[in-house]
Amino acid sequence: MARTVWDSSVGKKTVMAVSGLVMLLYLVVHMIGNLKIFFGSDEFNHYAHWLRTLGEPFLHYEWALWIIRVALVAAVVAHATAAYQLSRRDIRARPSKYVHRKPRASYATRTMRWGGIILGLFIVWHILDLTTGTVHPGGFQSGHPYQNVVDTFSTWYGNVIYIVAMLALGLHIRHGFWSAAQTLGVGSRTRDRALKTIANVLALLLTAGFVAVPVGVMTGVVS
């Protein structure tokens, strides 16, 4: 039954919708945590340490964090796989170009695929930069996330990569949230305007919230 659902277009769209909402919930929490950097290094470093002790003593050190990471990886893989397979299925269904010009779609709709690729590459860079420290500039300091963030956004390329990715994220959320609502049957004629407003507000708040951190470092508010 699971295979039958997965093989159908509706099943793949449902997987995309559910996994997208899981990632959206994480992004909201992650953004709120990131904004703690404006309260100083002690506050931000304490928050990062608290994440590793979450669930103690029932869970061991960092177990909760690893559970969250595994769930996020599963959501990202499911989302990307479903998106790719739906894209290939769509191409196979219409191998030749349309004779008539298609109606003009929104910028977010037309860039969903490229936005997904940009975000996928950004996730890899972000992990190598602030989690493993592999590509981190200035010497990665384990247990000192505040200084690591400042180091990253003290470089021009760190700011460019992050801000471009966050703009792509905003566009992705703007279209994705509304699409997920339609897939899950929440949308209707009376609700569509409200759903689109929520999508726009979420996209704006998340983009602004994430971009505020590199801007804070660039302007010296965070140093």
Side-chain angles (χ1 to χ4, degrees), residues 17-37:
V18 173
S19 59
L21 291 175
V22 168
M23 290 185 285
L24 179 60
L25 177 61
Y26 167 78
L27 287 170
V28 171
V29 175
H30 188 43
M31 181 202 69
I32 294 172
N34 280 3
L35 293 177
K36 285 183 173 288
I37 200 167

Side-chain angles (χ1 to χ4, degrees), residues 128-189:
L128 292 176
D129 178 29
L130 293 175
T131 301
T132 66
T134 307
V135 299
H136 184 76
F140 183 77
Q141 301 181 50
S142 180
H144 295 82
Y146 182 93
Q147 188 58 49
N148 292 333
V149 170
V150 171
D151 288 344
T152 291
F153 297 130
S154 295
T155 62
W156 68 267
Y157 61 86
N159 290 313
V160 170
I161 292 172
Y162 193 86
I163 291 174
V164 168
M166 292 307 101
L167 293 175
L169 176 67
L171 291 173
H172 211 75
I173 291 171
R174 181 174 178 269
H175 178 71
F177 179 84
W178 186 81
S179 296
Q182 303 307 308
T183 298
L184 298 176
V186 178
S188 66
R189 289 184 178 180

Side-chain angles (χ1 to χ4, degrees), residues 86-106:
L86 281 170
S87 176
R88 298 304 301 173
R89 182 171 294 181
D90 185 48
I91 292 172
R92 287 195 299 269
R94 48 179 179 82
S96 59
K97 293 183 178 180
Y98 288 108
V99 176
H100 300 289
R101 197 181 188 92
K102 291 196 300 180
R104 183 175 178 83
S106 69

Side-chain angles (χ1 to χ4, degrees), residues 6 15-16 19 23 73-86 116 120:
W6 172 252
V15 169
M16 282 192 68
S19 59
M23 290 185 285
V73 169
V76 170
V77 171
H79 195 80
T81 302
Y84 174 76
Q85 292 183 359
L86 281 170

Side-chain angles (χ1 to χ4, degrees), residues 11-61:
K12 293 183 189 299
K13 289 180 180 179
T14 301
V15 169
M16 282 192 68
V18 173
S19 59
L21 291 175
V22 168
M23 290 185 285
L24 179 60
L25 177 61
Y26 167 78
L27 287 170
V28 171
V29 175
H30 188 43
M31 181 202 69
I32 294 172
N34 280 3
L35 293 177
K36 285 183 173 288
I37 200 167
F38 290 99
F39 294 94
S41 60
D42 289 342
E43 181 80 13
F44 191 70
N45 290 338
H46 176 71
Y47 166 69
H49 176 72
W50 173 81
L51 286 176
R52 286 158 174 76
T53 60
L54 188 64
E56 289 186 344
F58 179 72
L59 297 175
H60 286 289
Y61 183 76

